[in-house]
Amino acid sequence: MVTSVEMPTGRTRSGTSVRIGPVIEQRERRRATTRNGLSLPPGPGFSLDRLAGFRREQLPWMMRATARRWPGVAYLGVLGRHLYLVSDPELVRQVLVTDGRKVDKGEALRAANIVLGEGLITARRQLHLPRRRLVNPAFAHARMAGYSTGMVDAARAADARWRDGEHVDLAREMSRLTLDIIGRTVLGSDLDAQWQHVGKELTLALRGWEAMMVPGGAWYLKLPLEAPQRFWAAADNLHAVVRRILAVDTGGESVVDEMRRARDNGAALDDAALHDETMNLLLAGHETTALALTWAFWLLSKHPGEAAALRESLADALGDRDAGYGDLRELHRAYAVVAETLRLFPPAWILEREAEQDLTLGEWVAPAGSTVLASQFVLHRDPRFWPEPDAFRPERWLDADGRFSEENPGVPRGVWYPFGAGTRICIGESFAWTEAVLALAVLARRWEIQVDPGHRMALHAAITLRPARGLPGVLRLSD
Ligand code: HEM
């Protein structure tokens, strides 16, 4: 039940809490307690206000309230689907890692094949491993130094474009930036020249993908209505962009070039596979990091003390220079800001798996065919593991000497997983850290966003967790 809407509230030791959602109390209601002879874990029953909980703005808070009320495993029966929400770190690890062979990507995600083709994101387990072996080398740690040049150049281009006092939607700016980075590093092609076109088509394709994931979505997208037709046109246009890029083999150093050269025991990516993997990277690699940077700028705008501390640390580490790959190991506070942003607003906020066989989850059994959910948003803000879970405190990632480590918060494994875990862990994890930290180091050092006073920040939770109405404000050169 939704009891109130909370805006950034509550002074905490280190500043304002960044709860930007409703306070939801979950109450148990009468519903079936068994299914196919198996006992069902407790969970909320059907009610009208629960349906309201499925609004995109409230969904993450609803999941969190459910996990608080029924920790461990909670059952949600929604429109004929059987969902098991796991919220203990051991169970999260079990589903994503140790029982990885008993689960596959969920049905809703696989429906996205129509747009993405058969690539890493949605690939069935049998196809996934050989594919992953062929794509992995392009994302090896040793390749990051090469990609970092494109990342810094794209951030510098944004810096050169921006004007003091300019009114922008920072979410859009970050989307342009990460698209530029994907162009330079992944595709080896200048996407910035056509960013408005490609950016718009990507947004439409992502929204179509989201529509496909809700029950009845695939059916809706077949209707002869304007929105579905725009979606199909956007998907076709993106495939055409990818085809044009792949038509030229530059023999360069991009991810695509590396994928072309990849061999694993004589196997290689054929043309169709190369196309689908490129499409997957374009979609997966662009919006996620753009969102991380957007949320980071928003959090810094709400916490001027943290923004000043970040600028000071960057000035100490870099002097007058722009950041480069070799500086990364000294940019501890920038890493801490990125980590704290990914904790509070994980761009991939929930993971879905379908049980291929019966799964024992603690004292419960999720029968084959059930859907198991593990939400980063829930675990990343769980008060059992994080003091002041809703507060923005980058220092929780720094040790006494101000050095960053993901180990510093001291949380058990399975609590912190912005990039997933197990065999389906994000292939772009190192890439994303490098990109986000370097972009922040170049841009947050000189710029801040003065968010429009009338702007009400709210979540829009779909495949990714994004600000519902972008991030409108004025760019200011910092002193
Ligand atoms: C902050 C940025 C990012 C976040 C938070 C993020 C998060 C994730 C997560 C949680 C998964 C696992 C999904 C699952 O288990 O169902 C994933 C998978 C994936 N990500 Fe990322 N990602 C980010 C950036 C990137 C980038 C930059 C790229 C590529 C350039 C990328 C490419 C992929 C691909 C291809 C997969 C599928 C991997 C597989 O199943 O083998 N991601 N990402």
Side-chain angles (χ1 to χ4, degrees), residues 96 105 109 120-122 128 132 139 182 186 255 277 280-281 284-286 288-290 292 342 346-348 350-353 376 417-421 423-429 431-433 435-436:
L96 298 181
K105 289 280 175 121
L109 189 63
L120 282 181
I121 298 175
T122 56
H128 177 259
R132 178 90 187 209
F139 287 92
I182 290 283
V186 173
V255 169
E277 294 305 347
N280 272 239
L281 294 173
H286 155 246
T288 40
T289 322
L342 293 175
I350 194 159
L351 300 179
E352 183 198 24
R353 294 291 185 269
Q376 291 94 327
Y417 56 112
F419 295 95
T423 49
R424 308 305 290 250
I425 195 168
C426 178
I427 202 166
E429 179 174 2
F431 185 101
W433 276 109
E435 175 184 19

Side-chain angles (χ1 to χ4, degrees), residues 191-223:
L191 274 192
D192 197 51
Q194 36 171 343
W195 81 272
Q196 272 172 316
H197 167 64
V198 179
K200 206 164 111 204
E201 303 299 49
L202 271 172
T203 307
L204 280 165
L206 276 164
R207 302 308 160 250
W209 178 6
E210 285 169 10
M212 214 172 290
M213 290 178 71
V214 296
W219 176 79
Y220 161 74
L221 287 171
K222 288 187 189 136
L223 294 177

Side-chain angles (χ1 to χ4, degrees), residues 26 28 41-44 63-75 85-91 361-364 378-379 382-385:
Q26 288 287 26
E28 199 155 8
M63 288 292 174
R64 179 162 102 155
T66 303
R68 292 258 173 100
R69 173 72 180 76
W70 299 285
V73 186
Y75 174 81
L85 174 68
V86 294
S87 59
D88 272 348
E90 307 81 45
L91 293 178
L361 301 170
E363 60 186 291
W364 309 102
V378 168
L379 269 294
D382 189 325
R384 290 177 297 172
F385 308 110

Side-chain angles (χ1 to χ4, degrees), residues 233-256:
D236 283 350
N237 290 340
L238 287 174
H239 283 297
V241 168
V242 168
R243 267 196 304 276
R244 273 202 300 280
I245 289 167
L246 294 180
V248 188
D249 183 351
T250 59
E253 298 297 321
S254 68
V255 169
V256 163

